Amino acid sequence: MTTLVEYAELNFPNHALEVAEGSLPLTHRTAVAYMVGRKKTKEVERSLRAANSDVPIGVAILQPVPAKMHQPGEEVVADPRRRIIAGVVIGALVGAGLGVIIGVIAGSLNVGAAAALLIAVMGGVLGLVLGGGGRDSGPHPWVLHGGPRSTVGVVAAYFDEESDDMLAMATIMEQMHVADVRIVSETGAWHAPNTAC
């Protein structure tokens, strides 16, 4: 089972935990909201507690890790944009290398060039996905403006099953104009509110 803190740290790898209140294990249906800023996080927490005092609320506030705290060479891994670019470049280079090998084995420059181009593109796409670019796909991309260099808040309301109370909490989160609202399971799988898993 995953706790709110573990889930927050997994989703914001370039941040370090500052505050954690009520970090319970995620339940089968946990309404989770992401936002930028400590003040906004506290506002959302207060609104949720006021709406239904019977629902357990968890809060995690994470600070960006200053660049000097990274190990040498870790800067690429810590910045999501650099991680995606590195994934694309590495995937394309590996793909091009495989294409050249195929060309040498086939004994044809044209076959080698075509294979190198095709496999480089496929390698680049695979590198994009593995590097984290998949977060920006689909109808609900993972977007947190200012997130990499700002304080990030994660607020959760814990529920055991889909219910009107859970949807009401998710609606309150959305009405407060947070960056994203998700319904998360105990394994970390998620879906947007009012949609099926």
Side-chain angles (χ1 to χ4, degrees):
M1 225 188 269
T2 303
T3 66
L4 176 64
V5 168
E6 292 168 341
Y7 183 75
E9 288 175 337
L10 180 69
N11 280 281
F12 300 100
N14 55 339
H15 285 69
L17 183 68
E18 177 187 291
V19 177
E21 300 170 8
S23 179
L24 304 170
L26 297 177
T27 57
H28 188 60
R29 294 288 184 257
T30 305
V32 178
Y34 303 108
M35 63 230 59
V36 173
R38 183 180 291 104
K39 182 179 176 185
K40 183 73 166 180
T41 304
K42 291 299 182 181
E43 287 174 10
V44 172
E45 177 191 10
R46 278 192 300 274
S47 294
L48 294 177
R49 289 188 193 281
N52 189 338
S53 60
D54 296 332
V55 175
I57 304 293
V59 178
I61 297 176
L62 300 104
Q63 288 288 344
V65 177
K68 64 183 176 186
M69 289 181 66
H70 294 298
Q71 297 298 322
E74 194 177 85
E75 295 84 13
V76 171
V77 176
D79 185 352
R81 288 171 286 196
R82 288 183 180 176
R83 186 172 51 236
I84 292 168
I85 292 169
V88 170
V89 170
I90 291 169
L93 290 174
V94 169
L98 288 173
V100 169
I101 291 171
I102 290 171
V104 169
I105 291 170
S108 170
L109 180 62
N110 290 337
V111 169
L117 181 63
L118 178 65
I119 297 173
V121 169
M122 290 188 312
V125 170
L126 183 61
L128 172 79
V129 173
L130 294 177
R135 293 181 178 193
D136 296 323
S137 65
H140 300 284
W142 183 83
V143 177
L144 192 60
H145 300 289
R149 293 174 186 83
S150 303
T151 300
V152 174
V154 182
V155 179
Y158 301 93
F159 296 90
D160 291 325
E161 58 188 32
E162 293 273 345
S163 66
D164 291 338
D165 288 340
M166 184 206 68
L167 292 175
M169 287 295 209
T171 301
I172 291 169
M173 292 172 176
E174 288 176 339
Q175 290 172 344
M176 296 198 70
H177 304 290
V178 298
D180 196 9
V181 177
R182 298 177 176 179
I183 306 302
V184 182
S185 74
E186 63 272 7
T187 62
W190 66 274
H191 65 88
N194 295 325
T195 63
C197 286

